[in-house]
Amino acid sequence: MPGERLTVRNPSEIGRFPGAAPPTRVEVTIQSEVGKKQEEGGCRRWFRKICPCCCKRQNSTSYDVTDKVEYTKPETPAAVTVPEPVKPKPENGEMKEFEEVKLSVCSVDLLSSKTGQNRMEHHTDLYQGDELIIRRGQTFQIEIEFNRPFSADTDKVNLELKTGPLPLVSKGTHVIIPMVDHLEDERWEAKITEQNGNKIRLSVNSPANMVIGLYGLTITTRSGKDEVPTIHKSNKDIIVLFNPWCEEDTVFLDDEEQRKEYVLNDTGRIYYGTEKQIGARTWNFGQFHEGILDACLFILEKSDMPPSGRGDPVNVVRVISAMINAQDDYGVLVGNWSGNYSDGVSPAGWSSSVEILRKYHSSNGIPVKYGQCWVFSGVTTTVLRCLGIPARSVTNFQSAHDTDVSLTTDIYFDENLEPIDILNRDSVWNFHVWNDCWMARPDLPPGNGGWQAVDSTPQETSQGTFRCGPASVIAIRSGHVYLKHDTPFVFAEVNSDKIYWQRNLDGTYSQIYSEKKAVGHCISTKAVGSDEREDITHLYKHQEESEEERIAVETACRYGSKPDVYCAPAAEDVKVEVKIDGEGPRMGSDAKLSIVVKNQSSQPRQTTLHSQVAVMYYTGVLKNAIKKDKIPVELLPNEEKVIEWILPYQQYQNQLVDQAALMLTLSGRVSETKQVLANQTTFRLRTPDLQITPLGEAVVGKEMSAKITFTNPLTRILKDVVFRVEGLGLQKGHEVVVGDVGGQATVTLTEHFIPNQPGPRKLVASLDCKQLTQVHGVADIVVSEQ
């Protein structure tokens, strides 16, 4: 075709740590000869002279071709119906008065510039590209150019928006927008606000419950009652998002600082480790990065949710929870807790959602390998914020996984107080990361709106699909587990009691002990406006062992599979706990803990503590025990004893799995009272941080450097070490292959880059190798304008 242009993106630039630099584009122009010029009749030449916008020659067609799925639609002519030629007057050849000429659209300007009124007022100016991206429940402006001046007395103009494969007015996916003299809230309307020659400017109003997504715009014009309408289809689409700034939208968040944090902030912090050794890593959500909005809309298209369901954030969040994992619907991420990630990226190697989402989109929906809970949560935060739903990543320490809907965490022992592994299906993850999202819940009793828990990590099915939530955090706190969605499961994660059972000689089981403060500690999220950790445990549960907290637990358990658990009280005059000094043991050294046993009675007490330490996946699954001991303890009245417990480096150095986590289990029976003592403590071996030091002045367009330093804490060689470095607005994400690093050796690498965006930026880096995980670092860099 004449002037055909093929635009191809370099495949190597798509889906691999995309950063600030644009992808390589190759343009090939193909010119072909056009046949002989066709002669026009005098009538058509005359009409083209009078109305050039309706009768212009088409000289070329332009196509963009990429190797990923794009939301594009074929171009259509400016007017579907071409007006019939008007016969000239014999005297002078001039046309009749313009009122007798059909009104038709020459062009439509969606006023979609990033710096224009629409994008700025709708808080969508941070998204890349020049599409019209608006938020529902808010007016926006467009300009229309006609073939002649518009007459309000005789001309009619209607706007239509369509989304989905089968738009229907009854489903809200086909919208007909009437013209009015005065705009009113909560309805589709358009009003002419300005007219200049052949151009008019319209202010268009939308309701706050409209379906979100990608819309095509059609403009219909009519000049008389019986005239056949003229239809013009815009060659640009409109993207509609949820609106946390609109009071009528169910995702409305009435705090500007929180909106900046939970909708507009494209970086954050995700917490991990144990409650006594909380680690934090920086995560690039990148919801405004090039291609991410397209990827999020693609995820909605890949789901089974009909477009008509996309107006309800409860439905959208539930679908996103299912689509972020690939367990049963070819979603975004494949979960892997095996320790073998040779055919993908280790979950600990990710520091950003951007590469994951772009890779999923560019491959037309092939799940990305691999993710664990913090990766699922980071990507969920990105998608929800991108679509306009306030969201944050939340970490629960000592997070229970209830497998039998008992709303308790059950631990079974045999007659000799040895754990029965085949029955111990419930587990307590030393940490688990999910999400909170903000919305009203008109589908629940009043008072259950606000933060809602949603979890994309595939653990248990919900209505046949691996998803969880949204569950009202207020309902969780009160123990109202009968409210949807998946409230019982989240309640058990944060506030279930740990119940210990012992097998009797006749094969039955008796409850021998209950631990009331075993799960749901230090529930953490990034604070608003800073990188500090905010403890939000009080939002999920009342103060431990308060009357309100006990009422909530017992209320919840009445709806579980073991409603009679709380009938038999247990004696508690001897206490046992484990303490960790400072930041805890470090990788490469002996692990030292303190066991504190206290007699609270006025009589002597005697017991034998059975101790077992096992290597643990962070999900709470134990790999194997690496040390067992029996510790005799004799206590005088009101005496407290501190027992030093040591795990030598040689015993764990070749045993660890991801996260370097261990669980110490203590059990025993007081001889005098038959009281059962039980305690489980998880701890991790701290890994070193990457030290990142910026070098030089940070100015847009000026080269600067950063030095990254790492020291191997182990005495053995680290194999196949890879660094991953990325900084939104600083440099494109990439890998640096280091290779083997000797025992206790130090590696230093220097990054050179040119910042291209001003303001506060973060340079993040992570280290990936089989022998050492969760090694990362961040540097804050403030970039000034040129």
Side-chain angles (χ1 to χ4, degrees), residues 212-281:
I212 67 156
L214 189 77
Y215 283 84
L217 171 64
T218 300
I219 301 173
T220 303
T221 58
R222 188 193 300 266
S223 301
K225 291 183 178 179
D226 301 324
E227 186 181 273
V228 177
T230 300
I231 301 173
H232 175 93
K233 186 166 184 175
S234 172
N235 59 4
K236 285 190 175 181
D237 295 321
I238 299 174
I239 299 173
V240 181
L241 307 176
F242 291 104
N243 194 350
W245 284 265
C246 175
E247 292 187 16
E248 289 75 28
D249 198 318
T250 48
V251 302
F252 173 65
L253 183 58
D254 189 19
D255 186 298
E256 181 59 26
E257 292 305 310
Q258 289 189 12
R259 288 193 292 254
K260 289 179 181 177
E261 180 67 47
Y262 300 133
V263 182
L264 300 180
N265 194 352
D266 59 1
T267 60
R269 304 275 275 174
I270 296 179
Y271 299 92
Y272 65 95
T274 70
E275 60 181 299
K276 297 177 182 177
Q277 300 165 278
I278 296 176
R281 65 181 303 161

Side-chain angles (χ1 to χ4, degrees), residues 50 59 76 90 95 106 189 261 285 314 478 513 586 588 667 693 697 720 769:
I50 294 298
N59 292 323
T76 57
M95 68 176 291
C106 293
E189 294 173 331
E261 180 67 47
F285 299 121
V314 175
S478 303
Y513 182 66
R586 300 187 69 87
S667 61
T693 306
E697 187 179 7
D720 302 321
C769 76

Side-chain angles (χ1 to χ4, degrees), residues 548-568:
E548 295 89 342
E549 189 263 347
R550 287 291 91 198
I551 290 173
V553 171
E554 294 179 21
T555 298
C557 284
R558 283 202 297 268
Y559 296 92
S561 59
K562 297 177 182 176
D564 301 324
V565 162
Y566 294 96
C567 297

Side-chain angles (χ1 to χ4, degrees), residues 354-479:
V354 173
E355 177 188 0
I356 295 169
L357 288 170
R358 292 191 66 180
K359 189 172 184 179
Y360 181 72
H361 186 197
S362 65
S363 67
N364 197 24
I366 297 176
V368 179
K369 300 176 180 180
Y370 288 107
Q372 291 179 9
C373 70
W374 66 93
V375 188
F376 289 113
S377 174
V379 174
T380 300
T381 299
T382 299
V383 175
L384 295 183
R385 288 185 183 181
C386 186
L387 296 177
I389 300 175
R392 62 190 184 186
S393 291
V394 171
T395 302
N396 179 38
F397 293 93
Q398 294 296 100
S399 185
H401 181 176
D402 177 23
T403 59
D404 59 1
V405 203
S406 66
L407 299 177
T408 56
T409 303
D410 300 299
I411 310 296
Y412 293 92
F413 294 94
D414 63 14
E415 298 84 351
N416 300 317
L417 287 178
E418 292 288 336
I420 305 175
D421 293 338
I422 195 172
L423 295 181
N424 290 331
R425 304 296 299 276
D426 289 355
S427 61
V428 178
W429 302 26
N430 58 346
F431 75 96
H432 180 49
V433 189
W434 62 70
N435 293 85
D436 280 347
C437 60
W438 184 273
M439 66 181 69
R441 289 300 299 271
D443 57 322
L444 299 182
N448 286 287
W451 288 116
Q452 313 288 314
V454 55
D455 193 348
S456 300
T457 301
Q459 298 178 85
E460 300 291 331
T461 58
S462 172
Q463 296 176 312
T465 301
F466 281 96
R467 58 187 169 189
C468 180
S472 167
V473 172
I474 291 175
I476 294 164
R477 189 172 192 258
S478 303

Side-chain angles (χ1 to χ4, degrees), residues 694 702-706 730-732 751-755 763 781:
K702 180 180 178 181
E703 182 175 312
M704 65 173 298
S705 305
L730 296 174
Q731 70 169 106
K732 183 179 178 181
E751 291 283 316
H752 300 275
F753 51 92
I754 300 176
L763 184 68
I781 299 174

Side-chain angles (χ1 to χ4, degrees), residues 507-527:
T508 61
Y509 289 85
S510 299
Q511 180 183 341
I512 58 175
Y513 182 66
S514 64
E515 195 175 350
K516 297 180 175 62
K517 298 190 292 184
V519 305
H521 300 164
C522 302
I523 303 176
S524 303
T525 191
K526 176 187 172 299

Side-chain angles (χ1 to χ4, degrees), residues 472-480 487 491 494-495 537-543 548-549 551-553:
S472 167
V473 172
I474 291 175
I476 294 164
R477 189 172 192 258
S478 303
H480 296 163
T487 310
F491 177 89
V494 301
N495 208 13
T537 307
H538 64 284
L539 298 181
Y540 275 86
K541 59 199 296 188
H542 295 281
Q543 184 177 352
E548 295 89 342
E549 189 263 347
I551 290 173
V553 171

